[in-house]
Every structure is written in C-alpha cells, then in structure tokens.
Amino acid sequence: MHLRSVVRVRWRQIVKMAAQEQDRLTLWVPVFFGAGVVLYFARSSEPVAWVAPLFLGTALGALPLVRQSLAPRMVLCAVAALMAGFVTADWRAARVDAPVLDRAIRAISIEGILLEKTNRAEGGTRVVIAPTHLGRQLKEGMPARIRINIRTQMDRVLPGDVVSVRAGLMPPPGPAAPSAFDFGRQAYFRQLGAVGYAISPLARVAPAPNTWTTCLRFCVSRLRDALTDRIVAALPPPQGAIAAALMTGDRGGIPENVLQDLRDTGLAHLLAISGLHMALFAGAIFWGVRGLLALLPTLALKVPIKKWAAAAALIGGFGYLLVSGGSVATQRAFVMFTLIFVAVMLDRPAITMRNVALAAMIVMVLTPEAVMEASFQMSFSAAIALVAFYEASRPWLSRWNSAMAERGMVAKGVLYLGGIALTSIVASLATAPFAAFHFNRVVDFGLVANLAAMPIVGFVVMPAALLAFVAMPFGLEAIPLWAAGQGISLITMVADTVASWPGAITAVPAMPDVSLALLIAGGLWVALWATSLRWIGMLGPILGIALAMTSPYPDVLVDRDAELVAVRDVDERLALSASRRAGFSAETWLRRDADLRSQKMAAASLFVCDADGCISQHADIGLISVPRTWRGLVEDCDEAAVIVTDTYAPLACRVPVIIDRSALQRRGSHALYADAHMPMGVRIVTACDVSGIRPWTRCKP
C-alpha cells in the first residue's frame, strides 16, 4: 500500500509539471517534423506515395474534434508533424531527382556551363559543370551536374561561362563501409550525377550570355569569386585562404595541416560561417549604425534609431549570406538573426527557444536532407543548448553580471572570458556526440583554444573583415585585410600549439545510429522542458552511451571495389591489405575503428602476398583469400573460408563466403562479423543492407 501511495503521488507530480509545460509544447513540433524526415531516410525502400499524406490529412482533420482534450491533441499534433516531415522529405527527393551515371567511363568529352569553381590548397581546381553535351550520351540520360578535379588553377574562367574538358567519370561512390558517410546521398540532393578527374585542360568555349537571367543566376557567384581572389591576393598563405573562408565561405585553399590543427583544437567552427560570424558581422553593423545615428540628437529624439539599426543589420546580414555561399550553418544563423532583428523592430523578446524552433522549421522545410548532415546537427544542437542554458541560468547570471560590471575594466574582462568559457563548455558538450558520431573524435583542449582564439576573432578578425567589405568598392581593403591577417596568424599559432599537446584529441569508435538517436532524444528532452521533468531525459544519453560501448566491431572489411581488405588481428586492430588506390577507404576504416595509426603502419604483415594475390588467417573465420589473378582464384577455391575478388567467381567455387564483382556491384562495401550462431559462422552486413534500395543508391535486390 505504501508503494502504491508513493507511485500515485509521483504520478500527480508529473501530471502537474506537464500541465506547467503546456506553453512549451509547440517547441516539439520541429522535433517531430525532423523525426519524420529521419524516418523517410531510414527506410530501406521508397514509400508508397499516398500513405503518409493520408495519415497527415487524417491527423489534421481529427484535430478540431479534440479541442478540449490535451492528451489526444498532443498525439495528433505529433503524428501530423511526423507525417509532414516525412512528406516534405519525400517531395524533396522527387523534386531533385536527376540522372546518375550508371558506370565508370575512362575518358569522355564534356561541354557545359560552369556552375562553381574552387581553387584547392594542394594545387588545382574543383569545378561543377552543368553538361550540355556529354560524349555520345543521350541528352535524356545526362547528369544534371558533374564535379571534376582539375590539376591546374584557373583564374580567367568564371561561373556562367561555357567550358569544355575531357575527363574520366564515375558514379558518385557509396559508403566506404556499412553505416559510414554516404556521399551518394549527398550527391543526389545536390544533383551531382557523376564525379571525376580531368585528363585535359579546361577550355573556355564561350562567355556567359549578357542577360538578366544569367546575371540573376551567376552574378552572386562571380562576385564571390572576385572577392575571394582579392582577399587571397592581399594576404600571404594561409592567412588569405582562412580570411576567404571567414568572409566568402570558400575553404578550398586552406592547407590540410592547418585544417587538421583547427579540427584537433575545436576551432574548425570558425571556418563555417555560422551564428558567431553572423553575430559579429550583423552586430557590428547594428551597433555602428545605432552609434552614428545617436550622434545626431535631432534625429535620435524623433525616430526609433534602434529599429533603423536593426533594419540595417538585417540588410547587411542578407548580403553576408549571399556572399558567403549560404551553407546550412549560415542559413540557420541568418534565419535566427532575422527573427532577432524583427523582434527588435516589433519590441518583442529577441533570443528565445521559439526562435530556434522556427529557424529549424524553415531550414528543414527548404532542405529536409540537411537533417542528416553534421552541419545541421551540430549547428542546432549548439544553439538549442546555449539558449536552454541561458534561459535556466538567467537569474544568477544577471546577478553575477551586475556585480562584476561595478568593479571596473578588469572585472569586465574576467566577465567576458567567463562568458566565452561558459559558451564553449555548453556548445562543446552539445556538439560532442555529433563529433563522435560523424568524425570519431572528441577534442580535449577545445576550451583552452577557444579562450585564446575567440577574443582575437571578436575584436580583431571580424571587425577588420567588415571594414574590408566596406573598403573594397574603393580599393582600400589592404589595411583592414592586413589587420585581419595578423589576427588569423595568432589563431593558427594557437591551433598549432594546442594541437601539438599530448592527448589533444580522443579517438572514438563508430557508434550505431540508435545510440545517436537516444543521445538526441535525451538531449532535446532536457533542453526543451523547463521544469524538473527535464531530468528524465538523462536516461537517453546513458542508454545511448551504454549501447555504443557494447556494439561489436567488424572482423573483416571489404571496400566497394575490392581494392582493399582489412582483417582484425589478435590485438583487436585492423590490418590492411596492400593497396594504392583505396586511401579514402583505409582512412575511413581506421577512423571509425578509433585507430590513430597511419595507413602505412596499419598495412601489417598479417597478409601474406605473392604474384597471385594475398591471404590472411582469422582465428574465428578461417582463411581469407584476396586473389588478384584467375589462377590464384581457382587455387583458393579449395581451401579458403572467404574469397574477395574484383572479378566474377566461377560457379564451381564452393567457398562459404564469396565476395566478388557481382556482390560488390549489387550490395556495395561489406563488413563480416564472426558469429557462431550463423550457418556459415559469419554474419555479413553490406552497405545496401543499411542504406536500402533508394534513389541515391546503386543497390540491387
């Protein structure tokens, strides 16, 4: 009886807290909308077209019937939002559907319109072309866009020009391992139907037509390229490349070693134009315009200069969005600051969780596929966590702020650094699960690096960048760019120093999708509720981490072209077969295995090779053969447990597990797990088992 009374009291407390949270229920609409998007992408096949709209219509139609009942109304709203997200993702996938190359082509002539070009730090250029002629291909089956790497850098060719090049092409590659990053899906939603490399110089066939349509389509891209060229020309490397990344969003020219230092110190977020950059850029315009208008007492007393300044900041932020390329992080930041400045103009509270929710809805409606990408997840997780933290801690932060502000400049400096520290800690904790899931690493000294670098960004680099934008029409950008370059040099010095410390990063093995889902669900539960009901959400991270720690590791990995095979040795580390063309797969496998060894070190003596191929012995699976000749394939058909070959295995071969060209073409990369409960003692998981038969995969039943 005592236990029943306790349960009854606790239940009443939970119901009471839920009633107090009614004003925050709308925050869950974007969550269920995003869950609907994820549900669409998680399917193994395309949905029946009418099912989701039927559920959506039924839920919306039933809403007026349950106006007085909170619980049924909540359920119907959740179902409607879930189905709306599903339908939006399905519609978007159908809208961007475009032909994809069905096979590799060694050499083909391409003529088309240059859409994008990015100079690369290691030399060369990456271009995106909308082809108008593609060898002898029929126009109906021609990819909408093709991405090509060119060995030389090009300055005279501009977006919109008609160009020609001879190149080798291939379909967008699938995942290097089951559950790994799927470039094919990303390429599908960008309408990239082929990728490849140039085997001849890119030539300009004709300039872009001088029409309004062409200008609307390419003028912003041309302006962005011109600004990037001027920035890079004004500063030495890598200062110019980093300044271009901060100002125009072009990150192609940053050397890989500098990028790695920034990643290993948690400063890579500086290169993604996001809330920080938009806050500094638009905020500088807001305060600058407001300060200038305040110098005119007659005007300041008659008109709302604060609202005028907000309008100016909004216009400046929109220009920054256009010039910077409009990535997901920049879109989110612009939507957020649009809502903030509109709230200022309407005399409403500016920074609220509702604004974050509305920004998420806008981005998801426009580009639902962004939900599956690291940029969206990390950007919004940081925004949600920061708003939730400052909402919950506003009373004591206000008292601390007031107390420190009365103690002079030193106290204000401590307050500023404390704000950076708090922001870095909260944002780092919020984004750590996504960094672990997508990049298999967690930065250990990010707080130190951000404390050292953020004042430089806020007081030197971004103000100088804004002044450079203002001065460029007059050709006077050299001085502000020089100042920005000095700040960038200090930031790269901080990154290089901190990255060299022992233990700068912690490698994290690949975790299952369910673990990330539990982490997200728990984090959102904690962030979106305001009462102590929120702490129930801590169960999500606990279960997600426990599941990630108990997930099995693959014993054998085979890449999508049979160019590379990895076998787990007695030390539980992957040993790679010799390969000269599968560097990306090797890098992906080692990273997902939390293995910091180089590819050369991982290519161990576990494989014994001769002219006919390689063999390796696994303790539980048996002999694994990787023949490179027909003779080697026939010989190993008598004694191997697993054969991996890039050709077609003969029908007479009775090996328990055969992974040949046919299997790889139909199912993509393979992962093998030793499992005594399976008929052959091996459980096989392929990339297509995870991704399914979808428009962006080349999977076959």
Side-chain angles (χ1 to χ4, degrees), residues 410-436:
V410 175
K412 289 181 179 180
V414 172
L415 184 66
Y416 175 75
L417 292 177
I420 293 176
L422 276 175
T423 300
S424 298
I425 292 171
V426 173
S428 297
L429 289 174
T431 57
F434 303 101

Side-chain angles (χ1 to χ4, degrees), residues 41 95 119 127 143 156 209 249 310 312 320 343 389 418 423 435 513 539 613 675:
F41 285 107
R95 183 169 175 266
N119 291 332
V127 299
R156 297 182 180 179
Y320 193 30
F389 174 77
T423 300
D513 295 346
L539 289 174
D675 190 341

Side-chain angles (χ1 to χ4, degrees), residues 113-116 158-161 208-209 213-224:
I113 301 171
L114 180 66
L115 301 179
E116 304 171 16
L158 299 174
D161 290 347
T213 305
T214 303
C215 184
L216 287 173
R217 189 178 179 188
F218 296 111
C219 278
V220 172
S221 298
R222 291 187 168 207
L223 174 62
R224 184 175 176 232

Side-chain angles (χ1 to χ4, degrees), residues 556 565 567 614-618 621-626 640-642 644:
V556 179
V565 178
V567 178
C614 300
I615 59 172
S616 178
Q617 187 75 33
H618 187 274
I621 296 177
L623 183 66
I624 298 164
S625 170
V626 189
V642 177
V644 178

Side-chain angles (χ1 to χ4, degrees), residues 278-293 304-321 334 337-338 340-342 344-345 466 470:
M278 194 65 73
L280 294 172
F281 191 89
I285 296 175
F286 175 79
W287 291 109
V289 171
R290 190 177 182 186
L292 289 174
L293 293 177
I305 62 172
K306 182 180 179 180
K307 298 180 180 181
W308 284 23
L314 193 57
I315 295 171
F318 180 68
Y320 193 30
L321 172 71
F334 176 72
F337 279 92
T338 297
I340 288 172
F341 289 127
V342 168
V344 169
M345 289 187 279
L466 176 58
V470 174

Side-chain angles (χ1 to χ4, degrees), residues 59-377:
L60 292 176
L63 271 174
L65 305 178
V66 292
R67 289 182 179 178
Q68 305 303 321
S69 303
L70 178 61
R73 193 164 74 248
M74 289 170 54
V75 172
L76 287 175
C77 285
V79 171
L82 189 76
M83 291 297 101
F86 191 98
V87 170
T88 302
D90 191 12
W91 174 81
R92 170 72 173 168
R95 183 169 175 266
V96 301
D97 187 42
V100 177
L101 203 66
D102 59 355
R103 59 187 175 82
I105 301 175
R106 290 188 177 182
I108 192 169
S109 298
I110 304 167
E111 184 175 309
I113 301 171
L114 180 66
L115 301 179
E116 304 171 16
K117 73 181 182 74
T118 304
N119 291 332
R120 308 175 72 185
E122 61 271 23
T125 308
R126 175 172 287 172
V127 299
V128 177
I129 298 172
T132 53
H133 296 87
L134 187 60
R136 296 180 180 178
Q137 295 275 10
L138 296 176
K139 191 170 183 180
E140 291 75 14
M142 190 183 304
R145 297 183 177 189
I146 296 172
R147 195 183 75 182
I148 300 172
N149 290 331
I150 301 173
R151 294 181 180 179
T152 58
Q153 293 189 348
M154 304 172 302
D155 298 323
R156 297 182 180 179
V157 183
L158 299 174
D161 290 347
V162 179
V163 297
S164 65
V165 66
R166 191 166 176 79
L169 297 178
M170 67 182 72
S179 298
F181 170 69
D182 189 354
F183 175 74
R185 184 180 64 203
Q186 185 184 77
Y188 176 83
F189 283 92
R190 297 180 181 180
Q191 294 188 309
L192 284 174
V195 296
Y197 54 91
I199 56 178
S200 74
L202 185 139
R204 184 188 188 194
V205 176
N210 189 17
T211 63
W212 280 105
T213 305
T214 303
C215 184
L216 287 173
R217 189 178 179 188
F218 296 111
C219 278
V220 172
S221 298
R222 291 187 168 207
L223 174 62
R224 184 175 176 232
D225 287 351
L227 292 175
T228 300
D229 292 342
R230 290 177 66 171
I231 294 166
V232 172
L235 294 172
Q239 295 178 19
I242 296 176
L246 295 172
M247 297 173 68
T248 66
D250 187 338
R251 291 180 280 178
I254 303 176
E256 183 58 34
N257 63 317
V258 176
L259 275 174
Q260 195 60 52
D261 285 345
L262 292 171
R263 294 188 192 111
D264 292 346
T265 54
L267 295 177
H269 68 92
L270 298 178
L271 302 178
I273 297 176
S274 57
L276 168 69
H277 307 75
M278 194 65 73
L280 294 172
F281 191 89
I285 296 175
F286 175 79
W287 291 109
V289 171
R290 190 177 182 186
L292 289 174
L293 293 177
L295 295 177
L296 305 172
T298 304
L299 186 64
L301 294 173
K302 292 182 179 180
V303 300
I305 62 172
K306 182 180 179 180
K307 298 180 180 181
W308 284 23
L314 193 57
I315 295 171
F318 180 68
Y320 193 30
L321 172 71
L322 293 178
V323 169
S324 64
S327 67
V328 170
T330 315
Q331 293 174 24
R332 191 269 307 167
F334 176 72
V335 171
M336 281 287 298
F337 279 92
T338 297
L339 297 173
I340 288 172
F341 289 127
V342 168
V344 169
M345 289 187 279
L346 297 177
D347 298 317
R348 301 291 299 273
I351 303 176
T352 66
M353 192 66 79
R354 292 181 186 276
N355 286 352
V356 180
L358 182 56
M361 278 297 297
I362 292 173
V363 174
M364 288 190 293
V365 168
L366 295 176
T367 54
E369 69 274 11
V371 173
M372 307 298 292
E373 298 181 359
S375 175
F376 177 93
Q377 296 167 7

Side-chain angles (χ1 to χ4, degrees), residues 676-687:
H677 298 93
M678 300 298 292
M680 296 178 294
V682 178
R683 179 168 60 91
I684 303 174
V685 178
T686 69

